[in-house]
Amino acid sequence: MTVTLADVAARAQVSPATVSRVLNGNYPVAAATRERVLKAVDELDYVLNGPASALAAATSDLVGVLVNDIADPFFGIMASAVQSEIVGPGGRAGGERLAVVCNTGGSPERELTYLTLLQRQRAAAVVLTGGAIEDAEHVAAVAGKLRRLAEAGTRVVLCGRPPVPDTDAVALAFDNRGGGVELTRHLLALGHRRIGYVAGPEERTTTRHRLEGHRAALAEAGVTTSDDLVVHGPYDRATGRAATAELLSRASDLTAIVAANDTVALGACAALREAGLRIPQDVSVAGFDDLPFSADAVPALTTVRLPLAEAAARAGRIAMGREAAPAGGVDVVSGELVVRGSTAAPRA
Amino acid sequence: MTVTLADVAARAQVSPATVSRVLNGNYPVAAATRERVLKAVDELDYVLNGPASALAAATSDLVGVLVNDIADPFFGIMASAVQSEIVGPGGRAGGERLAVVCNTGGSPERELTYLTLLQRQRAAAVVLTGGAIEDAEHVAAVAGKLRRLAEAGTRVVLCGRPPVPDTDAVALAFDNRGGGVELTRHLLALGHRRIGYVAGPEERTTTRHRLEGHRAALAEAGVTTSDDLVVHGPYDRATGRAATAELLSRASDLTAIVAANDTVALGACAALREAGLRIPQDVSVAGFDDLPFSADAVPALTTVRLPLAEAAARAGRIAMGREAAPAGGVDVVSGELVVRGSTAAPRA
DNA sequence: TTGAAAGCGTTACCAA
DNA sequence: TTGGTAACGCTTTCAA
């Protein structure tokens, strides 16, 4: 029914082994023979059987990408960056790897489930993006899974989360704490003193690090604040909106708000608009990340640019072995933060 | 090195066949035996070999999802909806299917390449999302590929694009023309007469249908327009911005702009802001789609809601055979359009 | 440079 | 209900 390697071999008058070699291009084959084989492949409209190939070679051309929320443009960009970088060895047409995007929704269980599923697929590599959950038990479980994956030959890349000990996983960490410091310093320099903070979900490395940076900047400037001015929630627009409304009710003298990420910042803008406040005249909004849609669509946004897309791309490259993994398997991206935007000084 | 089915069988004192049956749960096995097997699986930390399984069963648990741009929230939502619906038969934990998200970037070649790659993987299903490219040669090539995929047992779902003849692909078409009519009627009812239109890329079904609807609504109201008021471009923010600037320079008396989708609408808003115009007081912006971030972040946006996420979810279900395919394999979603938002009448 | 043949780990059919 | 055992289609030594 379906065309197999053997069929191609028969038509090209060579052995299956030769056809395999031509197709994989990793073995010397006489030019004339190659032509003959390629011709047969074309005539029979042959398509390699991936599973069979993966079974025999003990590795597949699938690359898993774990994201918290694929509907969030942030992760979409990450996924896209990874996808564009995972061309396989040789880089010939059709020899590309396939990205398996796994939506964990921030759930620890699903994270583990997907890791198992990818292990089952004998994935060539797995890229975990976004902040890690800070639960000792879960961290240990993930570490175990990653170790097992690595043992089975799967390259592991952590993008935007801290390295995992005892693993040869490549870690691309972002300087979230430094970003938090810089963002808040920026607002302080403009004269803001009452600053609300819409933080991400609790028990997340990104949330904690960014908040730490925020507090450090305030302390450094001798500005006192209170826990009242911090509200936690998921990285979505609804949270930004509700949290901002809550902050306004708690402290009507706020002049600025820091949002955990761009999506949250958009929600914050919506809440301010609904409250009849103008941005940035009445309240300035500053957000992390640098998503394309926020940059000029919401010019009031101060953006701390964490070069995530580029980093993801680089992570993909590292994962694919086209670049040596840095010593220790850890590579911290930092010092590349950019503060910009059009936040304004608080009204006199 | 790695644990195999045979190892589990040995430890549980049963045959490999029995272990396979327990794992697949699609065959009667004595409760006691099942327990024993499950225990062995757990103790050995066994993970099924996907490729081997796929080879033997002649089908994999991968589902391909083709999108134009995964960084666009629109497609992120589609991908997410599909992902959440593709639980395999039985629906047991760990028995889930994996979504392979393929970023075509709107390129015909990549579309075909990915289709081939998915064919190679013996994907269980393939979901093509977004408008189709209107090039005869390419359409024929895609149709051929889809036919071949179907022959190999892959379920094919078209989501947001027209059905493909001579294929048993399930098509979920959106009423783009109807949406276009409704959107423009809404603006006309508000009193707008000079309306700019930022269209999507040319040679795309969605672009053409939406624009046709727009023109039909104008004609129906006896409003004359000109090609000057239509600018084409990719579905991105930059296009919305540049196109809007262009439209303003061509016709300074515009009072409303229709954007091809939400992303483009955000860009249009940015351009208006840069031009010193207010939304919707000076110029109203109306966009297609209903992305979460636009609804309240840009309250000036009139939204024509094409229930895409739901449709994708439904498509996923159909694809998985949990729901009978409609007669003829075609299902047109229509009559569910909702016009809402806060566009305003033009200034007197 | 090419061929022959032994796996790779499951599934599914046929018996028992 | 369970076991034995051919496939499944490819890769990869080992020889020639």
Side-chain angles (χ1 to χ4, degrees), chain A residues 168-172 314 318 323-332:
Chain A
D168 51 357
V170 173
L172 244 159
R314 194 164 157 209
I318 290 171
E323 205 173 273
V330 181
D331 184 11
V332 178

Side-chain angles (χ1 to χ4, degrees), chain A residues 113 117 120, chain B residues 61 86-89 91-97:
Chain A
T113 300
L117 252 25
R120 166 185 304 187
Chain B
D61 46 7
I86 57 174
V87 291
R92 59 206 169 66
E96 292 174 49
R97 292 207 171 86

Side-chain angles (χ1 to χ4, degrees), chain A residues 35-83:
Chain A
E35 287 308 311
R36 208 138 34 84
V37 170
L38 256 22
K39 183 153 165 287
V41 165
D42 215 52
E43 289 169 347
L44 294 177
D45 204 15
Y46 170 70
V47 174
L48 194 69
N49 182 315
S53 167
L55 172 60
T59 178
S60 77
D61 46 8
L62 297 177
V63 173
V65 184
L66 266 64
V67 300
N68 283 327
D69 179 12
I70 189 61
D72 182 331
F74 172 79
F75 290 106
I77 290 172
M78 296 284 274
S80 155
V82 171
Q83 163 121 244

Side-chain angles (χ1 to χ4, degrees), chain A residues 115-164:
Chain A
L115 248 17
T116 301
L117 252 25
L118 290 167
Q119 181 182 358
R120 166 185 304 187
Q121 295 296 336
R122 302 302 187 254
V126 169
V127 182
L128 291 89
T129 67
I133 294 158
E134 295 199 298
D135 171 71
E137 195 181 340
H138 182 249
V139 167
V142 169
K145 268 269 170 261
L146 295 185
R147 227 166 278 133
R148 209 137 306 149
L149 278 164
E151 274 169 22
T154 298
R155 309 279 271 120
V156 178
V157 179
L158 306 171
C159 195
R161 60 171 63 188
V164 176

Side-chain angles (χ1 to χ4, degrees), chain B:
Chain B
M1 180 67 186
T2 51
V3 184
T4 72
L5 234 200
D7 298 329
V8 176
R11 192 177 233 281
Q13 319 229 54
V14 295
S15 75
T18 300
V19 177
S20 174
R21 293 196 265 253
V22 169
L23 260 27
N24 288 303
N26 49 9
Y27 218 81
V29 173
T33 314
R34 144 172 291 118
E35 288 308 310
R36 209 138 35 84
V37 170
L38 256 22
K39 184 154 164 287
V41 166
D42 215 54
E43 289 169 349
L44 295 176
D45 205 16
Y46 171 70
V47 175
L48 193 69
N49 184 317
S53 168
L55 172 58
T59 176
S60 77
D61 46 7
L62 298 176
V63 173
V65 184
L66 265 65
V67 300
N68 282 328
D69 179 13
I70 190 60
D72 183 331
F74 173 80
F75 290 105
I77 290 171
M78 296 284 273
S80 156
V82 171
Q83 162 122 241
S84 67
E85 287 293 329
I86 57 174
V87 291
R92 59 206 169 66
E96 292 174 49
R97 292 207 171 86
L98 250 20
V100 177
V101 176
C102 305
N103 223 210
T104 65
S107 149
E109 297 78 38
R110 298 189 60 183
E111 185 164 285
L112 287 170
T113 299
Y114 278 125
L115 248 19
T116 300
L117 253 25
L118 289 168
Q119 180 183 359
R120 166 185 304 190
Q121 296 296 334
R122 303 300 187 254
V126 169
V127 182
L128 289 88
T129 68
I133 296 158
E134 295 200 297
D135 171 69
E137 194 181 343
H138 182 249
V139 167
V142 169
K145 268 268 171 261
L146 295 186
R147 226 164 279 133
R148 209 136 306 151
L149 277 164
E151 274 169 22
T154 298
R155 308 279 271 117
V156 178
V157 178
L158 306 170
C159 195
R161 59 171 64 187
V164 176
D166 304 322
T167 307
D168 51 355
V170 173
L172 245 158
F174 302 119
D175 186 8
N176 287 306
R177 193 175 186 286
V181 167
E182 215 158 325
L183 197 48
T184 299
R185 268 192 198 148
H186 170 75
L187 292 173
L188 288 168
L190 285 172
H192 294 281
R193 287 297 174 271
R194 291 289 283 170
I195 305 175
Y197 191 99
V198 183
E202 304 202 62
E203 314 272 286
R204 277 276 180 351
T205 54
T206 39
T207 299
R208 186 163 59 78
H209 295 156
R210 290 177 182 188
L211 187 49
E212 278 174 10
H214 170 67
R215 290 193 167 127
L218 288 176
E220 162 191 280
V223 173
T224 54
T225 182
S226 69
D227 289 349
D228 271 28
L229 298 185
V230 176
V231 178
H232 284 270
Y235 284 117
D236 58 34
R237 209 177 23 73
T239 295
R241 192 182 185 181
T244 299
E246 172 65 24
L247 284 172
L248 288 174
S249 79
R250 287 188 194 167
S252 56
D253 58 341
L254 283 185
T255 65
I257 287 175
V258 174
N261 77 353
D262 273 8
T263 304
V264 169
L266 282 177
C269 290
L272 292 174
R273 226 182 278 111
E274 285 167 4
L277 298 170
R278 312 233 7 211
I279 310 160
Q281 290 84 349
D282 297 322
V283 177
S284 280
V285 175
F288 281 84
D289 302 343
D290 182 23
L291 300 182
F293 72 81
S294 70
D296 55 9
V298 186
L301 226 55
T302 284
T303 303
V304 168
R305 186 174 192 285
L306 297 174
L308 291 169
E310 294 90 331
R314 196 166 156 209
R317 259 183 268 125
I318 291 171
M320 296 304 100
R322 298 221 314 253
E323 206 174 274
V330 181
D331 183 11
V332 177
V333 175
S334 61
E336 295 186 51
L337 302 174
V338 178
V339 176
R340 67 174 190 195
S342 60
T343 40
R347 275 206 280 213

Side-chain angles (χ1 to χ4, degrees), chain A residues 4-5 17 20 24 46 49 52-53 56:
Chain A
T4 73
L5 235 199
S20 172
N24 289 301
Y46 170 70
N49 182 315
S53 167

